[in-house]
Amino acid sequence: MKRDEILPAIQVMTPEQTLVSFAYFVEPDDKFEPETPAQYKANLYIPAENAEKTETVLDAYWQETKAKLKELNPKKDPKDYKLNPLPWRWVDVDDGSKQADDIKSLGLDKAFFLKVKRPAYKVDKQGNKRPNTPPILFDSSCKKNNGKLIPLSDEDKQQYIKIGAGSTAQVGIWARPYSNVSTGVSLTIAAVNIKNFIPYQNGVDWGFTVDEAQQAGSGTPSTNDFDF
């Protein structure tokens, strides 16, 4: 069943307080190509006090999707649908999940989690592969034209290739139902408005100590300076 035959897609906008993690907004994550298709993606965490509207909209859309599927397939037993986990849920800091570790590092006890994606490529009916448009990016530097923000240029977007933990953004999402081999709702990134940007830092402490003694060897390191 084609997705548009179930329900039209809806726009969902997260609040400005949305925290982003593992964000690939400028360049897709293609580390595991071709086994896993390249994607723009991010984990979003909405603090509990800011999540009510987003949660209400998505939960209502899922209930509407299930009701529409029942209407379209009245003879099909609901148990016969293979339901995928929804890409949103509540996360508690002590629930033992990877997302629990994330919100703990962000200083949250509870958050509404969304997993959003956007395919880096589209494939037509002939099997030809072509690049998909990336998410549209905005930030506080963007100017307005006739009341609408002008997106960042490709050059200006480069500063957001690596986004650090604690960064916040308002994220525009398309929610779409699907039901073929499995059934569920997908969340596709459409636009991102960066609110508070924290540059990515590796954060690895190698435990090096400072040696006060004068170092031997030339001023410029060479292969002769290392005991390999």
Side-chain angles (χ1 to χ4, degrees):
M1 181 180 295
K2 296 181 180 179
R3 63 190 183 191
D4 294 337
E5 292 177 351
I6 306 172
L7 286 174
I10 62 167
Q11 290 178 299
V12 180
M13 185 73 74
T14 71
E16 296 181 1
Q17 298 84 358
T18 303
L19 292 146
V20 302
S21 179
F22 299 103
Y24 291 80
F25 294 142
V26 179
E27 295 179 345
D29 180 8
D30 60 0
K31 292 191 298 293
F32 302 107
E33 279 263 295
E35 289 81 7
T36 301
Q39 295 176 327
Y40 302 97
K41 63 182 186 180
N43 290 344
L44 309 180
Y45 297 97
I46 306 177
E49 62 270 21
N50 307 115
E52 181 179 0
K53 182 177 179 181
T54 305
E55 178 191 18
T56 300
V57 169
L58 289 173
D59 285 351
Y61 189 61
W62 176 231
Q63 295 304 320
E64 189 178 355
T65 296
K66 291 191 292 184
K68 188 64 176 181
L69 287 171
K70 185 175 181 180
E71 176 187 325
L72 294 171
N73 303 283
K75 296 182 180 180
K76 186 169 183 176
D77 190 326
K79 295 179 181 179
D80 291 336
Y81 287 102
K82 181 183 178 183
L83 301 180
N84 282 336
L86 293 173
W88 67 84
R89 68 180 182 90
W90 280 101
V91 176
D92 291 304
V93 73
D94 57 356
D95 70 14
S97 66
K98 174 62 176 69
Q99 290 74 35
D101 293 337
D102 285 348
I103 67 170
K104 183 177 182 179
S105 68
L106 294 169
L108 300 174
D109 293 324
K110 187 175 183 178
F112 191 61
F113 165 65
L114 300 91
K115 191 173 188 66
V116 295
K117 301 177 181 180
R118 184 181 184 87
Y121 299 95
K122 287 185 175 181
V123 180
D124 61 25
K125 294 180 179 179
Q126 287 72 41
N128 299 313
K129 185 177 174 182
R130 60 183 176 83
N132 194 7
T133 54
I136 302 170
L137 258 63
F138 305 89
D139 66 11
S140 60
S141 71
C142 291
K143 308 298 183 183
K144 286 189 175 182
N145 182 22
N146 295 325
K148 293 185 177 182
L149 283 176
I150 301 173
L152 293 172
S153 66
D154 288 343
E155 180 180 355
D156 290 336
K157 288 193 295 186
Q158 299 308 302
Q159 63 184 306
Y160 298 124
I161 288 179
K162 292 187 176 182
I163 298 178
S167 298
T168 59
Q170 192 173 24
V171 182
I173 303 163
W174 284 108
R176 291 184 175 90
Y178 59 87
S179 187
N180 32 64
V181 176
S182 57
T183 298
V185 174
S186 64
L187 299 180
T188 303
I189 315 167
V192 180
N193 190 353
I194 305 293
K195 294 297 181 180
N196 178 45
F197 173 60
I198 299 176
Y200 173 81
Q201 296 180 349
N202 191 312
V204 177
D205 182 6
W206 294 102
F208 290 134
T209 58
V210 177
D211 188 348
E212 300 296 338
Q214 185 174 355
Q215 299 295 308
S218 62
T220 302
S222 73
T223 55
N224 294 328
D225 290 323
F226 300 93
D227 290 330
F228 289 134

